[in-house]
Amino acid sequence: MAEIPDPTFSQGVLGMCCGVDPETGKVYSPMDGTISQLTDTLHAVGIEAGGVELLIHASVDTVEMKGDGFRGHIKEGQTVKKGDLLLTMDLEKIKAAGHPATIMVAVTNSDDLASVEAVASGQLKPGDRLMCLKA
């Protein structure tokens, strides 16, 4: 978390989180749940399930790109499964705009849980565990 290049996430302002540096620009769901939020600019997605609220934020300060370079594959209210494709981001456009491509995954209600800890490191595949959450 401390290595995330955005102080809002690295300092835990939005809750405990972890960062993923994407290789392909594809953003997958880390859990089964319901899409609770999708920003108009397609750079952030909210997922809720079983009392857990996740925010997936694709890249840093990309709201400035106004959706350019982002494509959504889901809609609000849709049910998703762990490993489903949520968003596609154009890594070259993001780099050209001067933004780090790090994807932040924040448990926005982490204060309501007994513990939240990152359990992954290194290269990940869609569906791999990122965090361990305890109620």
Side-chain angles (χ1 to χ4, degrees):
M1 189 167 114
E3 296 174 25
I4 295 173
D6 182 322
T8 299
F9 291 94
S10 66
Q11 295 173 12
V13 174
L14 297 176
M16 296 297 294
C17 61
C18 64
V20 177
D21 289 321
E23 291 182 357
T24 66
K26 293 183 179 179
V27 180
Y28 298 94
S29 180
M31 69 178 196
D32 296 349
T34 301
I35 302 300
S36 58
Q37 175 186 3
L38 176 63
T39 61
D40 292 340
T41 53
L42 305 175
H43 75 282
V45 177
I47 303 175
E48 293 182 5
V52 173
E53 300 169 6
L54 284 187
L55 172 65
I56 300 168
H57 194 284
S59 190
V60 178
D61 294 331
T62 47
V63 69
E64 298 169 0
M65 295 177 68
K66 298 182 171 121
D68 185 31
F70 293 88
R71 181 172 173 228
H73 300 279
I74 41 85
K75 61 182 189 263
E76 283 187 27
Q78 179 178 336
T79 299
V80 294
K81 297 284 185 195
K82 182 177 181 178
D84 285 353
L85 181 63
L86 303 175
L87 304 171
T88 305
M89 48 196 272
D90 185 326
L91 297 178
E92 291 304 315
K93 278 189 179 185
I94 291 167
K95 182 179 178 180
H99 302 295
T102 304
I103 299 166
M104 286 76 63
V105 181
V107 181
T108 57
N109 68 331
S110 55
D111 288 345
D112 297 340
L113 303 175
S115 70
V116 177
E117 69 179 275
V119 295
S121 64
Q123 194 168 16
L124 303 171
K125 299 181 308 262
D128 284 353
R129 286 181 54 183
L130 290 175
M131 294 183 270
C132 181
L133 312 176
K134 294 183 182 171

